[in-house]
Amino acid sequence: MEHGNHHAADSSEPAEPGRGSPQTPEAVSGFWDQSYSEKPALWSGRPNAALVSEIRGLQPGRVLDVGCGEGADAVWLAEQSWEVTALEVSTVALDRAARQAARRGVTVTWLHSGLVEAALPPASFDLVSAQYPALLRTGDKAAEFALLHAVAPGGTLLVVHHQLPADPDTSAHSAALRDYVGLADVAALLDENWHLEVHETRPRNVSTGAGAHHTEDVVLRARRLR
Ligand SMILES: C[S@@+](CC[C@H](N)C(=O)[O-])C[C@H]1O[C@@H](n2cnc3c(N)ncnc32)[C@H](O)[C@@H]1O
């Protein structure tokens, strides 16, 4: 079976907002609502391949799906017996996600919020999954710390992103991606309380759809020791 929620359902990926674009929580929500509204489905409906492979062997517990989009990962996780909280800024995406969960007969707790604004209780998830997250970089590294702080001792943080080209790419899309928290930003904050289990670049086997121009993923999996 081909996995990969982040295969676009058709050929045009939203040009994520970059510097100069509105960056308030309301403006970010509005941007993503508009992007989702332009298509009946933005993503494929399949769980992301890196999620499926990286959590193999983990005991299901409480999971946070950060930026769950149309909910393919969240629904799949619930089907694997995880207790899922899925957080998303777009109500359009969340409505689709909730409908999909109802169709599949699974329960997910949906949170309409940005990651930082959600002010989640610290150390409350056994797995925090952020698949191609669109978390704006800020000077105080609020998004990176929110990811780390959400993981319970003994729990796992999994972050997957596109590998950006080594040579600076001048396309607007690549420039926008550089405005977002990347895996290096997260890795840089892992201290002695964490064990970095995976931090590698992998080929991305997506041949169709908007994401096809991204040929590599970068995957970070870390376990919180204490
Ligand atoms: C590139 S999409 C990835 C969606 C999904 N994880 C997937 O793999 O298909 C990024 C998602 O993050 C959401 N998002 C944007 N800003 C966010 C924020 N501050 N906190 C949480 N989610 C956010 C967007 O609405 C969008 O659904």
Side-chain angles (χ1 to χ4, degrees), residues 5-6 16 28 32 36 43 48 65-69 73 87-90 93 113-117 131-136:
N5 181 32
H6 194 71
E16 292 158 2
V28 170
W32 283 100
Y36 280 105
W43 314 118
N48 282 302
D65 183 1
V66 178
C68 67
D73 286 351
L87 178 145
E88 171 56 56
V89 295
S90 165
S113 177
L115 173 64
V116 173
E117 295 74 25
Q131 303 286 322
Y132 310 100
L135 302 169
L136 287 167

Side-chain angles (χ1 to χ4, degrees), residues 170-193:
T170 53
S171 78
H173 183 62
S174 285
L177 286 175
R178 291 177 204 284
D179 290 348
Y180 290 92
V181 170
L183 271 65
D185 301 313
V186 177
L189 297 180
L190 297 175
D191 59 15
E192 69 282 358
N193 295 317

Side-chain angles (χ1 to χ4, degrees), residues 149-198:
H149 291 162
V151 181
T156 297
L157 174 65
L158 176 63
V159 190
V160 178
H161 227 308
H162 301 297
Q163 174 73 307
L164 296 178
D167 294 332
D169 175 342
T170 53
S171 78
H173 183 62
S174 285
L177 286 175
R178 291 177 204 284
D179 290 348
Y180 290 92
V181 170
L183 271 65
D185 301 313
V186 177
L189 297 180
L190 297 175
D191 59 15
E192 69 282 358
N193 295 317
W194 290 86
H195 175 58
L196 182 59
E197 296 176 327
V198 176

Side-chain angles (χ1 to χ4, degrees), residues 86-151:
L87 178 145
E88 171 56 56
V89 295
S90 165
T91 49
V92 178
L94 276 178
D95 286 348
R96 290 177 190 166
R99 279 199 300 275
Q100 183 61 6
R103 270 195 293 272
R104 304 263 282 265
V106 293
T107 301
V108 172
T109 300
W110 306 105
L111 286 185
H112 178 223
S113 177
L115 173 64
V116 173
E117 295 74 25
L120 296 162
S124 47
F125 296 96
D126 304 300
L127 172 64
V128 172
S129 170
Q131 303 286 322
Y132 310 100
L135 302 169
L136 287 167
R137 272 202 179 114
T138 55
D140 60 1
K141 303 184 188 302
E144 294 94 312
F145 283 119
L147 289 171
L148 297 176
H149 291 162
V151 181

